[in-house]
Amino acid sequence: MKESVEKTRRAGVEQKLRTYVRTKEAVAIMEDKLARLKTAEMACRSGTACARERTKIREERERMEVLIGLNRIEMDTIEKALERLNKNERLIVDAMLIAPVPDALDMLCETMNVETATVYRRRRSALEKLTAYLQ
């Protein structure tokens, strides 16, 4: 039972790592949208005919600010956890999970001058560390 819980936690951490880059990209897009919402809100302040529209824009802006904040917290947490990995573990996590590259295993074996099993052991070790930091 305990092993099953750990496996589930590691899978959750793996998923966070796999979506990390997309989350960063999404935050950039949301920040752009937030800037446009602020501009639209300022434009509507000058006219009384825009009161209803201004309310909608303000609600959307506030929702966007919350989403950006939550995603930044998640990204900061992941970044701090990644900083705790050693150089080889970070290289493995980057190449296999965060920004997967074709033939990552072969590249890692060659770069680190180790066997396939060693790469997988280091990957598992890195995931265990990250699981401890992120859970």
Side-chain angles (χ1 to χ4, degrees):
M1 174 88 173
K2 185 178 178 182
E3 188 176 312
S4 174
V5 171
E6 278 302 310
K7 206 178 237 187
T8 302
R9 287 182 180 160
R10 270 196 308 269
V13 168
E14 250 185 89
Q15 185 61 33
K16 286 180 183 182
L17 293 171
R18 289 181 193 279
T19 60
Y20 174 73
V21 172
R22 286 187 300 247
T23 301
K24 275 184 113 167
E25 292 168 352
V27 167
I29 291 167
M30 287 188 285
E31 286 172 338
D32 182 55
K33 182 176 180 179
L34 179 61
R36 286 184 278 127
L37 286 169
K38 286 179 180 179
T39 301
E41 187 176 16
M42 292 302 281
C44 272
R45 285 184 188 223
S46 59
T48 56
C50 289
R52 187 177 301 147
E53 189 63 28
R54 186 174 53 233
T55 301
K56 287 180 184 178
I57 292 170
R58 186 185 70 245
E59 289 171 354
E60 180 65 14
R61 179 186 49 80
E62 290 170 351
R63 187 181 73 79
M64 192 64 53
E65 289 171 342
V66 169
L67 285 173
I68 290 170
L70 291 173
N71 280 294
R72 279 190 182 149
I73 290 169
E74 181 73 20
M75 287 175 8
D76 289 345
T77 304
I78 291 170
E79 287 169 6
K80 286 178 182 168
L82 288 169
E83 288 172 3
R84 296 176 180 242
L85 298 178
N86 67 42
K87 182 178 140 187
N88 287 331
E89 290 170 335
R90 180 61 192 259
L91 182 63
I92 291 167
V93 168
D94 282 341
M96 296 181 92
L97 299 170
I98 294 176
V101 295
D103 301 321
L105 184 59
D106 294 335
M107 182 271 298
L108 290 166
C109 289
E110 187 175 318
T111 301
M112 294 186 291
N113 197 28
V114 296
E115 297 293 322
T116 302
T118 303
V119 172
Y120 280 119
R121 273 194 302 275
R122 289 179 182 174
R123 179 179 183 262
R124 185 177 57 245
S125 172
L127 284 172
E128 287 171 358
K129 284 181 183 179
L130 291 171
T131 300
Y133 298 141
L134 295 173
Q135 295 296 327

